[in-house]
Amino acid sequence: MLVARILLAVAGGLLLTAAFEPIAVAYLVPVGVAAFALATRDLPFWRAGLVGLVFGVAFYFTHIDWMRESIGPDAWVALSSIEALFYGLVGLAVPLVRRLPAWPVWLAAVWTAADGLRSGWPFSGMPWGRLAFAVVDTPVAPALAYIGMTGMSFLLAVVGFSLAAGVETWLPRAGAPVRRTRQLAFGGAVAIVALLVIPAVAPYETDMTGSAVVAAVQGNLPGPANDILYDHRGVTRNHVEATIGLADSGVRPDFVLWPENSTAVDPFRDGEVNDGIREAVTAIGVPVVVGGLVDDGQDHVLNQGIVWDPVAGPGDRYTKQHPVAYGEYIPFRRYWDPNFGALRAIGRDMKSGTRTEPLRVAGIEVADAICFDVAYDDVMREQVRAGAELLTVQTSNASFIFTTQIDQQFAITRLRAIESGRWLVVAATNGITGVIAPDGTVVASADPRTTAVLVEQVGLSSELTPATRLGVWPARLFTGLSLLGLVLGGIAYRRQRDDAGSARATDDVSEPEATPAPNEAPVG
């Protein structure tokens, strides 16, 4: 029996993986979630937790398989194992919340809260694998402008768990009102899907208050396409020459966007890099947002987007808010300082930025994000709430260039444009560079591993979508619902256990035996 549940959990995890890039069959999201609910059905706590963990292993190890190929198997195993544990925790919650009426809603709240927790903890967390990240190019994607990533993940989980509730009516122990339960379960799933599709008919459109012409530079890497440090000065030189080439063509955008790691050394201290930037900025005659690693003492470094003006020089800066643990810094380095494998290359820890105000670039309020920042809800949302009119992403996916990571990140980037109702420009060192409209449409993109400059006119807006206005409240709501569900489920579990104990005690008390009658005396 347990073996069958484990096999179902593995199948569910693999189906959920197939919902994301590179397979990207988004309609498998509710199927994978339903498999999780069916696999953990009617199991005691520890077995439900074990089956949930198996689901997490099957899903996460395959979903971020790109880390094994690009960073190394040790980092892949460590991160995937940590993330899989959260699905085990959701499994532990199943025996409690399933005792409640409308359990698909309560379990969806637990799932969503766990997603939010693992997206920011431990250390900087890992948002990859949130259900909402799979919906790009589907009819439900426009709903993101209304309910945001968290709301979308919750409703998709409700759909999946409602499907499971309907399927269970054909399984043993379905209960008395089978037909009514089936109708409610499938009817609820259909109603939610219909609700999610409505915005596709009448999508939310933010009013554009102006426009700008932006150039995104993809300079490409000399030498190996997946090693930014092989010739980091050559990387900078490629971006300089591409920008000068743009200037020579006579095109004058409002500003130019360079990617993360377009300078892999401190552009203020390295004379050759500094000269190159000044040469490019002077040639184009407009601000260039440079991606640079800036020294912050002997032990720390900052990953920044720097607004470099042709007259005033370097000015406003955005600092990456979510550095990658064991990729850009070593947690608890004061207690241990690993000097082996890929960790040997992390000689200094990257500090986290705290900026919530947009950058001022050529008179435009710009919300910037650097690489993995785009997967975190707080980065762009807070800058948009503070007045950002345009979104930009500076990324260096060179380490992942031969994997599906670049496709997954680009899908998330497109979803951010929909959620915020803003145009978005992304510049990558060697892919994927693109310009994205507020409805998620890719207006222009550059082929990976090529040198390219995209010049596009983009709209500017200061209007907030409902999702942006809601801010952190959906996450708070579903966290509160999950905690309430666990408490109510615990009460129901204890009451049921006490009732079962009372019933057993009653059964153990046997009625007194009748006193046998004395033998009758013989007649006669």
Side-chain angles (χ1 to χ4, degrees):
M1 185 65 165
L2 182 60
V3 173
R5 300 299 188 95
I6 289 176
L7 292 176
L8 180 57
V10 170
L14 296 178
L15 285 171
L16 189 56
T17 292
F20 298 86
E21 282 71 17
I23 301 175
V25 183
Y27 304 100
L28 291 176
V29 167
V31 179
V33 171
F36 176 91
L38 293 171
T40 55
R41 168 180 178 260
D42 292 339
L43 291 178
F45 286 103
W46 296 116
R47 288 194 175 190
L50 173 63
V51 172
L53 175 62
V54 170
F55 177 95
V57 168
F59 169 51
Y60 226 84
F61 273 73
T62 54
H63 180 52
I64 65 166
D65 181 66
W66 43 264
M67 179 168 282
R68 174 179 60 85
E69 301 176 35
S70 55
I71 305 301
D74 48 354
W76 170 63
V77 170
L79 180 57
S80 298
S81 298
I82 292 173
E83 297 303 307
L85 287 174
F86 287 91
Y87 296 92
L89 293 177
V90 177
L92 289 175
V94 168
L96 295 180
V97 296
R98 264 185 170 269
R99 300 174 188 277
L100 302 176
W103 67 261
V105 176
W106 295 104
L107 187 54
V110 172
W111 180 292
T112 307
D115 257 2
L117 179 61
R118 70 172 185 79
S119 294
W121 186 88
F123 313 123
S124 53
M126 183 59 173
W128 251 250
R130 296 173 65 184
L131 301 184
F133 289 169
V135 303
V136 71
D137 293 324
T138 69
V140 305
L144 284 167
Y146 293 92
I147 59 177
M149 299 289 188
T150 302
M152 177 66 75
S153 292
F154 170 75
L155 291 180
L156 290 175
V158 173
V159 171
F161 293 140
S162 296
L163 289 178
V167 170
E168 287 175 1
T169 59
W170 279 286
L171 300 177
R173 295 187 64 236
V178 171
R179 184 174 180 181
R180 178 173 175 77
T181 300
R182 187 179 302 159
Q183 291 174 340
L184 287 174
F186 288 137
V190 171
I192 293 174
V193 171
L195 182 66
L196 287 172
V197 171
I198 288 175
V201 180
Y204 189 91
E205 296 182 0
T206 52
D207 294 330
M208 295 297 132
T209 56
S211 64
V213 177
V214 181
V217 178
Q218 178 176 291
N220 204 12
L221 273 64
N226 61 350
D227 187 357
I228 197 77
L229 298 178
Y230 174 81
D231 181 7
H232 65 85
R233 296 186 189 280
V235 175
T236 301
R237 174 48 56 182
N238 283 354
H239 288 83
V240 169
E241 291 178 353
T243 305
I244 293 174
L246 177 65
D248 292 341
S249 70
V251 176
R252 285 294 184 276
D254 288 284
F255 72 89
V256 177
L257 183 69
W258 283 9
E260 174 194 25
N261 285 352
S262 46
T263 71
V265 295
D266 191 329
F268 303 110
R269 296 188 176 186
D270 189 285
E272 182 178 338
V273 168
N274 190 281
D275 291 342
I277 294 172
R278 292 180 183 276
E279 181 184 3
V281 174
T282 300
I284 195 66
V286 299
V288 176
V289 183
V290 176
L293 294 178
V294 179
D295 296 334
D296 188 45
Q298 295 182 348
D299 300 325
H300 297 93
V301 65
L302 304 174
N303 193 348
Q304 295 189 324
I306 308 161
V307 181
W308 213 294
D309 188 84
V311 177
D316 219 0
R317 308 186 202 179
Y318 167 80
T319 302
K320 185 176 184 179
Q321 294 190 34
H322 296 281
V324 180
Y326 299 107
E328 294 172 319
Y329 74 99
I330 305 296
F332 307 117
R333 190 190 286 270
R334 68 175 67 180
Y335 303 110
W336 79 304
D337 191 3
N339 191 29
F340 55 86
L343 297 179
R344 185 183 295 110
I346 309 174
R348 295 182 295 173
D349 290 335
M350 186 176 291
K351 279 187 175 180
S352 301
T354 58
R355 181 180 183 129
T356 58
E357 299 293 322
L359 294 173
R360 185 77 172 173
V361 188
I364 303 167
E365 299 292 328
V366 177
D368 195 24
I370 296 179
C371 203
F372 278 30
D373 271 352
V374 73
Y376 293 83
D377 289 341
D378 58 334
V379 175
M380 287 184 162
R381 180 188 64 211
E382 298 309 314
Q383 294 181 74
V384 170
R385 288 167 66 94
E389 305 166 286
L390 175 69
L391 310 181
T392 60
V393 176
Q394 299 173 279
T395 187
S396 174
N397 289 333
S399 297
F400 314 113
I401 196 62
F402 297 116
T403 74
T404 58
Q405 188 276 348
I406 63 173
D407 301 300
Q408 292 177 2
Q409 183 173 318
F410 197 68
I412 296 170
T413 304
R414 293 174 60 195
L415 293 170
R416 288 297 178 200
I418 300 172
E419 181 185 44
S420 61
R422 296 287 190 277
W423 282 81
L424 191 153
V425 181
V426 51
T429 49
N430 60 348
I432 301 173
T433 295
V435 179
I436 303 165
D439 63 357
T441 301
V442 181
V443 175
S445 63
D447 292 332
R449 304 191 302 279
T450 63
T451 299
V453 178
L454 304 180
V455 182
E456 294 291 334
Q457 184 174 28
V458 299
L460 306 176
S461 177
S462 56
E463 183 180 341
L464 299 182
T465 63
T468 305
R469 291 183 184 276
L470 286 172
V472 299
W473 284 106
R476 291 173 177 173
L477 171 64
F478 299 131
T479 299
L481 279 177
S482 67
L483 294 175
L484 178 62
L486 292 173
V487 171
L488 294 177
I491 293 173
Y493 171 78
R494 184 169 183 176
R495 183 182 296 121
Q496 184 176 0
R497 186 183 62 181
D498 292 345
D499 291 345
S502 299
R504 285 195 301 269
T506 302
D507 291 340
D508 289 342
V509 178
S510 44
E511 296 183 3
E513 297 180 0
T515 303
N519 292 332
E520 293 182 357
V523 177

